[in-house]
Amino acid sequence: MSAAERMQRQQNRTAWLFLLPLIIALFGVAIWPLARSIFFSFTDAFLDAPANYGFVGIDNFIAVAEDPVFWRAVKNTLFFTVISVGLETLLGLAIALLLHRAFVGRGIVRAAILVPWAMPMVVSTRIWEWMLNDQFGLVNELLVTLGLVEKGIAWTAEPSLILYTVIFIDVWVTTPFMVLLILAGLQLIPEEIYEAAEVSGVPHWKRFWSITLPLATPAIGVAMLFRTLDALRMFDLSYVLAANNENTMTMSIYARDQLISFQDLGLGSAASTWVFMIIGLIAIVIVGALRLDRTTG
Amino acid sequence: MAMTTTAPARRYSNSTYRTIRRVRTFGLYVGVAAVLVYMLFPYYWAIVSSTKSGQALYQFSLLPSPDFSNYWQLFHNPVFMGALVNSGLVAFASTMISLVIGILAAYALGRLHFSPGRIILIAVLMISIFPQVVVLSGMFEVIGWLGLYNRPSALIVSYLILTLPFTTWILTSFIRDLPTELEEAALIDGCSRLRVLTHVLLPLMGPAIASTGLLSFILAWNEFLFALTFILTDENRTVPVAIGLLTGSSRYEYPFGQIMAASVTVTLPLLVLVLIFQRKIVAGLTSGAVKG
């Protein structure tokens, strides 16, 4: 055995040793629980006595698929994800372009926009719930004063409005994250390209379309992927604002309801396995579309 | 449009050009001001509302009033104070565990030439995008086996699924950015890998560890689903759940002043830390994502 081989083997041993705590911990909190969740989805176990189960095949999966409430939750989640990630991307791009320019106090502004992002989602939800209160909320007061509406709108109670309210709050919370990632992407674009374009007299809008946008696309794509996967598992915002109101119920709320509120371990696990499969499928489609494997090397 | 100051088009006279530039600068500041109001006003309004009680809460003045009764009540509320302590402990403990495990793993993944490393890194990334609800039933069982149900330590364990992939991923990309010369010198001198990590790399990683730790602390401090599910009794709750479940004695008696005071209290420490470490945080957030 050559010295180089011996060194490589020793390095491998060291690497496994350093990775051991990570592997054990992630096995304990992620892989094993995931496997058990999938396992339970084929049983009729209940939460109070999980050891007491029988196998029921795919009955639970069928039961979830036949529940209109589940499909309502899927529809809500997808609608929420598409609209809010779309709006966050546009708003995030606009704000990033603005903050990318040089102005006095830029550092402070960049720090300040982290505020909504650093708050617990529960807190943001509560603050907006208060501002959007139908009788005493600031937003309605403002609208009434300006004469735009005659009396306050029940933003958080009106079934046709509440999902839009959820989207609005989510956009406020997560736009800073989008801004930061897009800003980082913009900073990677070399200044020389713009100088060259300017010298050749390329107009502003064309510089944006054919330089800024294409070169920032990888950063925007990654940011959108993260936000999409995050939005698809959204739980706290809807739960705090409306608990299990069917107009805002997300897939995660539906699955947790079956599992914890109804104590149905089998059915709840099947619901969460459905969620897992739906999100997994969407992730595969997006990663394929973005060809992330290429852009991030 | 984005980064260069605009060049004067030749057909404009100097004074026209100056006017255009002034208008542009003015527009920029108006835009920045609008962004700041949009991002910050809700928190400001929470502060204003938290200093009002009774009828004053329903009058719309933009300035806070010197009425701290909401805070006084909050700080004499044993459930809320207990929740603050629980949140702090849980977030601190899971961050510390994640940092130690994450630093070890990041060294192996970032520095050792190790072929399964890439697969492990991808697996870690995939775990970080798991919908939490999918591990809920299995995690419930694990918590039961460990005898931790309804204890704050149940959250320390379960939060590792959030914080550990995050710290590992970000620290790996930080370690890759560090120069290798110092370590190589130490290795030639016969240092063990662990000693290289603790004596050469660790001192260099201070800022990275601080920002990663802070981000992981925020993740754990803000978590809601596990905290809602694994904790049954009020005295063991964390702050987000305490605020999430805070309701008045009736639907029409919603304690918004109290809720706003609690919201301000919970967010303030995070904001102070975020503002102090903002550069590092931005670096941490973007290093994993944009650099890949």
Side-chain angles (χ1 to χ4, degrees):
Chain A
M1 189 163 49
S2 72
E5 267 175 62
R6 223 180 7 250
M7 229 178 93
Q8 184 58 45
R9 266 178 63 176
Q10 202 208 334
Q11 213 170 64
N12 279 354
R13 222 180 16 243
T14 319
W16 282 117
L17 218 58
F18 276 37
L19 284 168
L20 201 61
L22 176 79
I23 292 168
I24 293 172
L26 285 184
F27 183 80
V29 297
I31 296 161
W32 176 257
L34 174 67
R36 288 300 281 179
S37 292
I38 295 172
F39 171 83
F40 278 127
S41 61
F42 295 103
T43 71
D44 58 4
F46 267 78
L47 202 61
D48 49 358
N52 202 354
Y53 59 81
F55 287 101
V56 295
I58 58 164
D59 284 5
N60 290 325
F61 288 92
I62 295 171
V64 171
E66 282 175 346
D67 185 355
V69 180
F70 174 69
W71 291 109
R72 186 69 203 271
V74 173
K75 208 182 103 196
N76 287 341
T77 311
L78 294 180
F79 183 78
F80 164 80
T81 302
V82 170
I83 305 290
S84 63
V85 174
L87 290 175
E88 283 156 32
T89 308
L90 291 178
L91 195 60
L93 181 63
I95 296 177
L97 286 171
L98 188 73
L99 300 190
H100 190 54
R101 296 168 59 171
F103 59 86
V104 183
R106 186 164 67 166
I108 298 167
V109 174
R110 283 189 191 171
I113 61 160
L114 282 168
V115 168
W117 169 84
M119 280 187 196
M121 187 57 113
V122 174
V123 166
S124 318
T125 311
R126 287 300 209 186
I127 292 177
W128 278 105
E129 189 182 24
W130 167 230
M131 289 179 61
L132 294 170
N133 185 288
D134 51 348
Q135 290 179 62
F136 310 114
L138 182 71
V139 173
N140 278 327
E141 171 75 12
L142 215 64
L143 292 176
V144 171
T145 311
L146 292 173
L148 294 173
V149 293
E150 272 180 29
K151 74 192 245 302
I153 297 166
W155 302 103
T156 56
E158 181 66 41
S160 62
L161 285 178
I162 184 162
L163 190 54
Y164 293 96
T165 305
V166 168
I167 291 172
F168 174 83
I169 298 173
D170 189 70
V171 168
W172 183 75
V173 170
T174 46
T175 299
F177 178 78
M178 227 41 176
V179 173
L180 288 181
L181 291 196
I182 297 176
L183 256 177
L186 292 178
Q187 273 154 2
L188 294 178
I189 304 176
E191 192 106 15
E192 293 81 38
I193 302 184
Y194 288 99
E195 281 161 17
E198 214 178 305
V199 171
S200 337
V202 178
H204 275 298
W205 62 270
K206 207 167 177 198
R207 275 183 244 163
F208 174 72
W209 275 113
S210 36
I211 302 174
T212 310
L213 215 49
L215 288 178
T217 299
I220 298 173
V222 172
M224 281 180 86
L225 174 69
F226 280 157
R227 278 300 313 138
T228 302
L229 295 172
D230 213 30
L232 287 170
R233 62 187 177 188
M234 191 271 274
F235 177 83
D236 32 13
L237 173 48
S238 275
Y239 187 87
V240 172
L241 199 65
N244 31 29
N245 181 335
E246 280 186 23
N247 294 301
T248 56
M249 180 185 279
T250 62
M251 300 192 292
S252 289
I253 293 180
Y254 177 87
R256 184 186 178 275
D257 255 10
Q258 304 300 324
L259 195 68
I260 307 296
S261 308
F262 309 143
Q263 300 275 303
D264 196 332
L265 188 54
L267 203 66
S269 299
S272 49
T273 307
W274 268 118
V275 174
F276 185 61
M277 293 190 293
I278 293 172
I279 297 184
L281 191 71
I282 296 174
I284 291 168
V285 170
I286 302 179
V287 172
L290 287 176
R291 295 203 189 152
L292 259 185
D293 48 340
R294 263 193 229 168
T295 48
T296 62
Chain B
M1 170 174 177
M3 52 171 45
T4 51
T5 47
T6 48
R10 273 180 208 112
R11 62 179 180 276
Y12 293 138
S13 72
N14 265 349
S15 72
T16 319
Y17 168 58
R18 260 201 304 277
T19 315
I20 289 176
R21 202 174 50 179
R22 274 200 201 112
V23 169
R24 275 179 188 283
T25 313
F26 181 72
L28 174 65
Y29 281 102
V30 169
V32 170
V35 168
L36 279 182
V37 169
Y38 171 63
M39 295 292 191
L40 298 182
F41 183 77
Y43 190 64
Y44 176 74
W45 189 245
I47 296 173
V48 171
S49 305
S50 71
T51 63
K52 292 174 180 172
S53 48
Q55 276 305 307
L57 192 56
Y58 307 119
Q59 272 132 31
F60 299 92
S61 80
L62 279 175
L63 292 175
S65 37
D67 171 2
F68 295 104
S69 57
N70 286 321
Y71 288 94
W72 199 85
Q73 278 178 41
L74 203 63
F75 292 138
H76 287 80
N77 177 345
V79 172
F80 182 78
M81 293 315 280
L84 265 183
V85 173
N86 288 336
S87 275
L89 278 177
V90 166
F92 182 76
S94 42
T95 299
M96 282 304 153
I97 296 172
S98 300
L99 280 178
V100 171
I101 299 178
I103 290 169
L104 287 173
Y107 182 65
L109 296 170
R111 271 297 193 263
L112 301 175
H113 302 284
F114 174 60
S115 41
R118 196 172 155 71
I119 297 164
I120 292 176
L121 210 51
I122 289 172
V124 167
L125 189 64
M126 279 169 67
I127 288 172
S128 77
I129 61 174
F130 270 16
Q132 275 103 285
V133 78
V134 81
V135 294
L136 207 57
S137 34
M139 193 82 92
F140 211 93
E141 205 187 20
V142 171
I143 299 293
W145 285 336
L146 295 172
L148 296 179
Y149 189 57
N150 194 29
R151 294 191 191 179
S153 34
L155 302 181
I156 300 177
V157 173
S158 53
Y159 284 0
L160 293 180
I161 195 179
L162 299 175
T163 53
L164 203 46
F166 177 78
T167 52
T168 304
W169 189 259
I170 296 204
L171 288 171
T172 301
S173 89
F174 268 121
I175 284 193
R176 280 189 182 149
D177 285 348
L178 291 175
T180 54
E181 289 80 12
L182 277 171
E183 285 163 79
E184 278 159 8
L187 281 172
I188 290 166
D189 286 345
C191 260
S192 75
R193 290 283 182 179
L194 190 63
R195 212 178 145 78
V196 169
L197 177 60
T198 54
H199 285 71
V200 181
L201 273 178
L202 220 48
L204 295 174
M205 286 170 70
I209 292 172
S211 67
T212 314
L214 185 58
L215 286 166
S216 145
F217 186 89
I218 293 177
L219 267 183
W221 177 273
N222 293 354
E223 203 280 338
F224 185 73
L225 175 60
F226 290 155
L228 177 74
T229 305
F230 297 142
I231 303 293
L232 275 184
T233 48
D234 276 346
E235 72 272 12
N236 291 331
R237 295 225 187 272
T238 58
V239 192
V241 180
I243 294 178
L245 299 181
L246 205 63
T247 44
S249 40
S250 80
R251 198 182 138 64
Y252 300 99
E253 207 185 323
Y254 219 56
F256 271 115
Q258 284 268 326
I259 293 178
M260 289 305 109
S263 301
V264 171
T265 309
V266 167
T267 314
L268 204 61
L270 294 185
L271 293 191
V272 172
L273 290 171
V274 164
L275 294 182
I276 295 173
F277 290 102
Q278 56 105 355
R279 266 171 209 286
K280 305 260 157 44
I281 289 177
V282 172
L285 271 179
T286 50
S287 68
V290 178
K291 277 191 274 164

